[in-house]
Amino acid sequence: MSGGLTGIVRDVIAEFLLHERPPLSVRTSLIPHKDEPVLNLASNRYLALSGGFLFFPVMPFFQKMPAFSDIYIVFFYKGRGVYFTGSLQRVKNGSIFALPNEVFKIADPVSGMQALSAKIYIPGLSGIQAEGRLKNGYDIFENRLWLGFSKDEAVASAPFFRSAASLKSAILPPLCRQITDKTKRILYIPGKKIPDRNFFPYPVSITVDDISETDMFEIKTELRDAEYDVYIPLALSEDESVHTVLGLRARLPMTSPSDIQEKLFLLPVCRFLGEIPKSTAAVRGRAEPLSVLCLTDSFIILGGFVIKNTGGFSPPFPLSKGGEYTMILKIAESRLCRVIKITMSVSKIYKNQTGSSVCAVCTFSKIKEEDRRFLYEKFYRTLYK
C-alpha cells in the first residue's frame, strides 16, 4: 500500500490518536461488506500505551480473529476520516496494535456524475419510476449546507428562503459579522447569549470557545439588540467571504437545535428552486434523471425540472407527496461500489412559482443498520452512535 502520510504529518495524527483518544471504528476491511463485522469503540473502551501502541481488552470481535490479523483503525481527525492499517497481536489480557509509519486518508467519493446513482421503484409495480444522479455544484456530503452558495444564487433563492424555510435577510453587527465570517459557523444565541457548547451532531454553531475574552464584552453588547435567534452565513466556500446572512426568529418559547437543523436541510431546496430550469435531455420529452441534492442517514432530497416542450408534452415530476417508493442507491467508494436498498416515503414537495422546478424530501422508513451507519458517518463525519 502506498500514498500514505508519513513524517511530521503522520506523527501529529498519531499523537492526536494517542492523547485525545477519539472514538474508533475497528474493521477487517476499509469498506465492510454487509456480512463483515465492524466494532465501534468509545474512548473508554481502549487504551493508548507509550511507544505508539493501542491496547484492546478481550472482546468477542478480537477473539474470533486469527493471531496477527490485519485490521483497519478508522477515526476522524479534524473532521477528516483517516486510518491506520496493520497487524493485530494477541496478548494475555487482550490485543495490541502497533501504530505503523503511515496513516491514510479515507478517499472521497469519485468525482463526476457516476459517483452516485439511484433507481426508484413503486412497490408492487415493475419498471423504474425514476432515476437519480449527482448534480454539478452540489456536494451531498458537505454537512455545512450554508456553504456552496454564490451571491447570485442567494439572490435567486431569496423568495424560497422566505416561503419554504421562514428565513429572512438579516444584518449582523460588526464584531458578530467578523467572527461569523472567520468561523463560517452559524450564530445561535438562545436567550441572546453565546452558548457554552455546540448542540448539534457536528460543528454547526459558534460557541464561547470561538471568542476571545477581550471580544466577549462587546459581543454581549451587540447581541442585546439582536432581532433573530439564529443567523446563518452563506458563502461560496470555506475560503470565501460571507456574502449573505439569513435570520430565523424564534418560535415560542425559543428556536431549538432541531428547528434549526430542519431549516438547514431546506437550504439545498431553496437553492435548486432558485435555478433557471433547463432541459439536458438528448430526446425531447424524455424524463430526465432527478438530481440528488442532499443525502443523510434518514432522508434524501431530490430535485427535478418539468420543462414545457414545443410539442406540448412535459413528463410530470415522478414522485408524489405521501407516496412510498423503493430506492436502489449506488455510491462509488474508491474502487468499490456500495449498493444500498431503501424504502422511503415523500414527506414534503416544494415547487417554484411556475411549477417548473420541484423538490421532494423523502424520508427513509426501512434501511439496513450498517447502511444507515455508513451514510451517517459520510454526512456527519463522526462515528455512528
Side-chain angles (χ1 to χ4, degrees):
M1 186 176 294
S2 61
L5 303 174
T6 60
I8 295 177
V9 176
R10 176 269 178 200
D11 293 342
V12 169
I13 296 176
E15 184 177 0
F16 167 82
L17 172 59
L18 295 171
H19 289 85
E20 298 297 328
R21 290 173 55 206
L24 300 181
S25 175
V26 184
R27 310 172 182 179
T28 55
S29 297
L30 182 58
I31 304 175
H33 297 293
K34 64 178 182 178
D35 296 325
E36 289 185 275
V38 173
L39 178 64
N40 292 323
L41 296 177
S43 302
N44 61 356
R45 297 190 64 197
Y46 69 94
L47 297 177
L49 307 178
S50 59
F53 296 90
L54 299 179
F55 172 77
F56 303 100
V58 176
M59 299 180 190
F61 178 89
F62 297 111
Q63 293 298 105
K64 295 177 182 179
M65 298 173 59
F68 300 98
S69 295
D70 285 336
I71 60 170
Y72 293 82
I73 304 294
V74 181
F75 57 101
F76 288 87
Y77 173 73
K78 291 187 176 181
R80 178 64 189 251
V82 295
Y83 65 93
F84 286 100
T85 183
S87 297
L88 187 72
Q89 182 178 354
R90 191 81 51 79
V91 294
K92 182 177 180 181
N93 297 320
S95 302
I96 292 285
F97 180 84
L99 298 185
N101 294 327
E102 287 184 297
V103 62
F104 297 85
K105 293 181 181 179
I106 294 180
D108 289 324
V110 178
S111 61
M113 303 299 276
Q114 299 303 316
L116 178 146
S117 64
K119 294 185 184 298
I120 302 169
Y121 305 82
I122 297 179
L125 298 180
S126 60
I128 299 172
Q129 178 71 9
E131 296 188 27
R133 65 184 183 189
L134 291 178
K135 179 171 175 57
N136 284 334
Y138 286 74
D139 184 351
I140 60 170
F141 292 125
E142 171 57 77
N143 53 37
R144 297 168 299 175
L145 296 165
W146 52 94
L147 300 182
F149 277 86
S150 69
K151 176 63 176 177
D152 290 342
E153 286 176 325
V155 171
S157 302
F160 309 105
F161 291 144
R162 293 190 295 270
S163 62
S166 302
L167 300 172
K168 297 182 180 180
S169 178
I171 298 176
L172 278 171
L175 189 53
C176 288
R177 174 62 184 258
Q178 179 181 334
I179 293 173
T180 302
D181 195 76
K182 177 182 177 181
T183 62
K184 298 299 190 299
R185 294 185 183 178
I186 288 166
L187 184 62
Y188 172 42
I189 46 174
K192 296 191 176 182
K193 296 180 181 179
I194 301 292
D196 294 329
R197 64 183 181 88
N198 174 60
F199 292 95
F200 305 84
Y202 62 103
V204 170
S205 63
I206 294 170
T207 68
V208 293
D209 293 335
D210 298 308
I211 302 173
S212 66
E213 292 184 7
T214 55
D215 289 336
M216 185 58 76
F217 177 79
E218 187 175 347
I219 287 286
K220 290 181 178 179
T221 302
E222 289 185 346
L223 293 180
R224 289 175 186 170
D225 299 323
E227 183 179 0
Y228 299 97
D229 297 283
V230 184
Y231 292 86
I232 303 173
L234 303 186
L236 186 57
S237 71
E238 187 177 15
D239 299 324
E240 299 288 337
S241 297
V242 172
H243 53 70
T244 304
V245 177
L246 302 175
L248 177 63
R249 189 171 284 110
R251 298 177 181 176
L252 295 177
M254 69 172 56
T255 304
S256 70
S258 60
D259 292 329
I260 297 170
Q261 279 199 281
E262 179 183 334
K263 303 304 181 183
L264 295 180
F265 286 127
L266 290 176
L267 292 177
V269 172
C270 299
R271 182 181 169 195
F272 184 84
L273 296 181
E275 293 186 23
I276 298 175
K278 57 182 179 180
S279 176
T280 59
V283 179
R284 178 189 299 175
R286 174 183 292 173
E288 299 183 30
L290 300 178
S291 296
V292 180
L293 308 179
C294 182
L295 174 62
T296 76
D297 62 308
S298 57
F299 68 87
I300 186 171
I301 299 177
L302 300 165
F305 295 136
V306 180
I307 306 296
K308 295 294 183 181
N309 297 292
T310 56
F313 174 69
S314 177
F317 189 74
L319 308 180
S320 57
K321 184 177 180 180
E324 185 176 77
Y325 303 88
T326 297
M327 178 172 64
I328 304 298
L329 192 64
K330 294 183 179 180
I331 300 176
E333 279 280 292
S334 186
R335 296 180 180 179
L336 302 177
C337 181
R338 191 179 188 105
V339 180
I340 302 174
K341 183 178 180 180
I342 297 167
T343 302
M344 64 184 189
S345 60
V346 179
S347 55
K348 292 183 179 179
I349 293 283
Y350 296 91
K351 299 180 181 181
N352 66 357
Q353 298 92 329
T354 63
S356 56
S357 298
V358 187
C359 287
V361 179
C362 305
T363 305
F364 301 160
S365 56
K366 185 177 180 181
I367 179 175
K368 290 183 178 179
E369 195 65 16
E370 62 264 29
D371 293 329
R372 188 183 297 278
R373 180 187 68 240
F374 169 80
L375 293 175
Y376 183 96
E377 293 181 357
K378 288 295 294 182
F379 185 80
Y380 291 108
R381 302 177 193 175
T382 188
L383 291 177
Y384 179 64
K385 298 178 181 179

